[in-house]
Amino acid sequence: SLPFPRIVGDLIEQGVESYHVDYAARSFTFYSAAGAAVTTVLPLEGLPCISSEWDAAALQAAILDSQAHGQTFRQFCHRAMLAGVQGYFAFLLGQRVTYLGRNGDQHVEWFPGARPKEA
């Protein structure tokens, strides 16, 4: 229920460098800069099956709703899975998230204001 920027700040304070959400395994894995990894269950019941079709527009709409309207994590997960997201890696220090589809599709989303300038 906390806003994403607050969650990121709290995780960085705890030494988390990145994390992986795996919808297929229904798990989170948190990684530290020291090389530690902690995996826990994704505590959401009733999520849909991961769509076999990649829908980049639906994923981007779900991302925008989280950024601009504070959509809940549960709602985001539901929409991402329907858009074909199998999982994603959030790189906190790199300020980006890489979403992965069942067939190798990918989408990189920069944190708001973090996209580097084009050369």
Side-chain angles (χ1 to χ4, degrees), residues 63-103:
I63 292 167
L64 181 61
D65 277 351
S66 291
Q67 292 172 343
H69 304 115
Q71 149 178 255
T72 67
F73 180 65
R74 172 183 284 286
Q75 290 169 321
F76 175 78
C77 291
H78 184 91
R79 291 175 68 186
M81 293 171 76
L82 290 177
V85 175
Q86 181 168 308
Y88 61 89
F89 287 90
F91 300 97
L92 304 181
L93 300 179
Q95 298 186 318
R96 69 192 104 181
V97 179
T98 302
Y99 296 90
L100 306 168
R102 290 175 57 178
N103 295 312

Side-chain angles (χ1 to χ4, degrees), residues 43-64:
L44 302 175
E45 295 181 16
L47 291 174
C49 292
I50 301 163
S51 175
S52 61
E53 299 297 320
W54 180 255
D55 187 342
L59 172 59
Q60 289 178 309
I63 292 167
L64 181 61

Side-chain angles (χ1 to χ4, degrees), residues 7-60:
I7 293 169
V8 168
D10 290 349
L11 289 171
I12 290 171
E13 272 186 32
Q14 296 299 316
V16 174
E17 186 173 76
S18 63
Y19 64 89
H20 177 226
V21 175
D22 185 338
Y23 292 133
R26 301 292 203 265
S27 68
F28 278 111
T29 303
F30 299 91
Y31 303 95
S32 77
V38 175
T39 300
T40 187
V41 173
L42 181 64
L44 302 175
E45 295 181 16
L47 291 174
C49 292
I50 301 163
S51 175
S52 61
E53 299 297 320
W54 180 255
D55 187 342
L59 172 59
Q60 289 178 309

